[in-house]
Amino acid sequence: MQIPQYLLERLKRNEEIAGKFNEIEMSILSILNFDDFFKRLLFQIADKFSIPHIWFSIIRESTIGKQLKGNSDSEGLKSTIAFVSHERFISIINNQKPVLANRNLTYFHDLMPVTLTEPIGSLAIAPITLDGKLVGSINLADIDAHRFEPGIDTSLLEQLARKVSLCLSNVTAYEQLKFMAYHDPLTGLFNRRVFERILDREFSRAKRYNSELSLIFIDFDDFKTINDTAGHRIGDKVLCFFADALGSLKREQDIVARLAGDEFVVILPSTGKKCAAQFIKRVTAYFETNPMVSGEYVFNIRISHGISCLSDEGVYNPSELLKTADSEMYRHKAEKKKP
């Protein structure tokens, strides 16, 4: 029996598309960093399928969303990724099937990157997953209102989303390993090894350019009591709450790290002791009015701190800068215990 011509044409078209998918997959499998991955992937898809606008929407609260936010200063990521809240994303995508639209496109504004300023006629949103969990979507747009018209077959979009999800899992796994090598696994702050390298760099830079440099050593008051009364799980939440607050209160150039346990440090480049004292004053004031709440527990965080700077007596190297701040912190803690 002779195969109908339209079936032959469809088979040929499917083979061509499968070939393009394979070329895209092979071109990105060796990439192991987010920036290059997203740029290469989107370029390949746009080029092979002649799509004028293509980008990712990533759920901000997802694991990959948190990882990517750490790289959000990258110009490449700014133009290829839009971050959206889980609640808003789910309101648009209530299952894992592609969504097509060519009317009321302003409804999808939260899914669009700030760099997308040209008018579009139709939009395709293909959900992507990571380890079986919905993490966002890959989005295609065209000025042609009929290209992604609701009602057309979305099987190719689903294939594309599956390919993208598979490739994304590879680069995400590698980025997670790299992140863990440099960051504290609980709070996401820099770990001690990275802190020491940064301190060495900033100390040398301050000496070279005769600029100021301050360091703040911070320690919780009675953190052991939190662990003993509420358990380590709540104690971990308190540490994360504290780390997030420090991250939001610091300047862009400041570096926050967790040394161990409840010990944190802040490096303040080009900053004298007076300005460092103002910073820790803001931190203290913040926790006085913002207790950490978890279920039935409410903790008013109290801290002790010590500040050192490049001009302090006996500070001839980075380790002395840290040691001086540590000594000042213990002195502060002891003074608070005096009747």
Side-chain angles (χ1 to χ4, degrees):
M1 186 176 74
Q2 188 174 5
I3 301 176
Q5 183 63 31
Y6 77 91
L7 285 180
L8 290 174
E9 291 176 357
R10 182 181 296 177
L11 288 171
K12 182 180 178 181
R13 181 169 174 269
N14 288 343
E15 286 178 2
E16 290 175 352
I17 291 173
K20 291 179 179 180
F21 280 162
N22 185 61
E23 290 173 11
I24 293 171
E25 185 175 3
M26 294 305 295
S27 72
I28 60 176
L29 277 177
S30 61
I31 297 176
L32 296 175
N33 69 83
F34 283 134
D35 206 351
D36 291 341
F37 172 82
F38 285 109
K39 285 192 293 186
R40 175 79 67 82
L41 175 62
L42 296 185
F43 172 80
Q44 290 282 337
I45 295 173
D47 180 59
K48 293 186 182 299
F49 294 98
S50 300
I51 299 172
H53 303 293
I54 179 168
W55 71 94
F56 283 90
S57 298
I58 298 295
I59 296 174
R60 191 178 293 112
E61 297 90 341
S62 66
T63 302
I64 189 174
K66 294 175 182 177
Q67 284 183 261
L68 288 170
K69 286 298 283 184
N71 295 344
S72 59
D73 290 338
S74 164
E75 289 301 320
L77 292 185
K78 284 181 181 178
S79 63
T80 58
I81 295 177
F83 292 98
V84 60
S85 71
H86 181 269
E87 182 181 5
R88 181 69 180 113
F89 190 86
I90 294 301
S91 72
I92 298 172
I93 308 291
N94 54 18
N95 56 46
Q96 294 189 14
K97 292 291 184 180
V99 171
L100 306 176
N102 60 0
R103 294 182 181 180
N104 302 320
L105 296 181
T106 54
Y107 175 73
F108 304 96
H109 181 266
D110 290 340
L111 299 185
M112 300 179 186
V114 294
T115 53
L116 182 61
T117 57
E118 300 176 26
I120 59 175
S122 60
L123 172 68
I125 305 167
I128 56 175
T129 60
L130 195 61
D131 298 327
K133 295 181 179 179
L134 187 66
V135 295
S137 62
I138 182 168
N139 313 300
L140 321 174
D142 199 299
I143 194 170
D144 182 357
H146 300 290
R147 181 159 191 186
F148 302 116
E149 187 175 20
I152 66 173
D153 182 17
T154 61
S155 58
L156 293 178
L157 281 172
E158 292 178 43
Q159 287 185 49
L160 175 63
R162 284 195 293 270
K163 289 285 186 182
V164 170
S165 297
L166 176 63
C167 294
L168 185 60
S169 67
N170 293 333
V171 68
T172 300
Y174 183 82
E175 286 281 3
Q176 284 176 337
L177 289 174
K178 186 170 69 173
F179 183 88
M180 290 172 63
Y182 294 100
H183 295 80
D184 169 52
L186 176 64
T187 63
L189 297 177
F190 286 124
N191 59 29
R192 180 163 195 143
R193 183 177 66 175
V194 175
F195 157 75
E196 290 174 346
R197 287 166 53 186
I198 294 174
L199 183 60
D200 287 346
R201 181 195 69 196
E202 293 301 327
F203 192 93
S204 297
R205 180 182 296 170
K207 283 289 189 181
R208 185 183 310 121
Y209 296 106
N210 194 31
S211 60
E212 296 180 307
L213 175 68
S214 293
L215 185 145
I216 305 174
F217 199 111
I218 304 172
D219 183 84
F220 274 81
D221 292 339
D222 301 319
F223 180 70
K224 184 178 182 298
T225 303
I226 296 176
N227 279 334
D228 291 344
T229 57
H232 289 279
R233 185 178 65 85
I234 298 298
D236 287 348
K237 285 187 176 183
V238 172
L239 291 174
C240 291
F241 174 77
F242 180 74
D244 290 343
L246 279 184
S248 66
L249 292 168
K250 76 176 186 67
R251 302 171 303 176
E252 184 177 354
Q253 67 265 36
D254 298 334
I255 297 96
V256 181
R258 181 189 181 199
L259 293 191
D262 58 344
E263 296 178 341
F264 295 80
V265 286
V266 184
I267 301 173
L268 299 99
S270 304
T271 303
K273 185 171 284 189
K274 185 176 181 180
C275 289
Q278 291 174 349
F279 170 78
I280 200 66
K281 187 176 181 179
R282 291 199 308 273
V283 172
T284 303
Y286 176 85
F287 289 116
E288 286 176 351
T289 56
N290 293 274
M292 190 277 181
V293 180
S294 180
E296 62 185 283
Y297 297 103
V298 178
F299 294 107
N300 295 300
I301 294 176
R302 299 288 182 263
I303 58 174
S304 296
H305 69 274
I307 302 174
S308 62
C309 67
L310 215 58
S311 58
D312 284 344
E313 184 178 354
V315 174
Y316 305 112
N317 55 54
S319 61
E320 288 295 336
L321 188 68
L322 177 62
K323 183 179 178 181
T324 299
D326 187 20
S327 298
E328 286 296 307
M329 185 275 295
Y330 277 107
R331 185 182 64 79
H332 182 218
K333 188 180 287 284
E335 284 183 354
K336 291 197 298 182
K337 291 181 179 180
K338 291 180 180 179

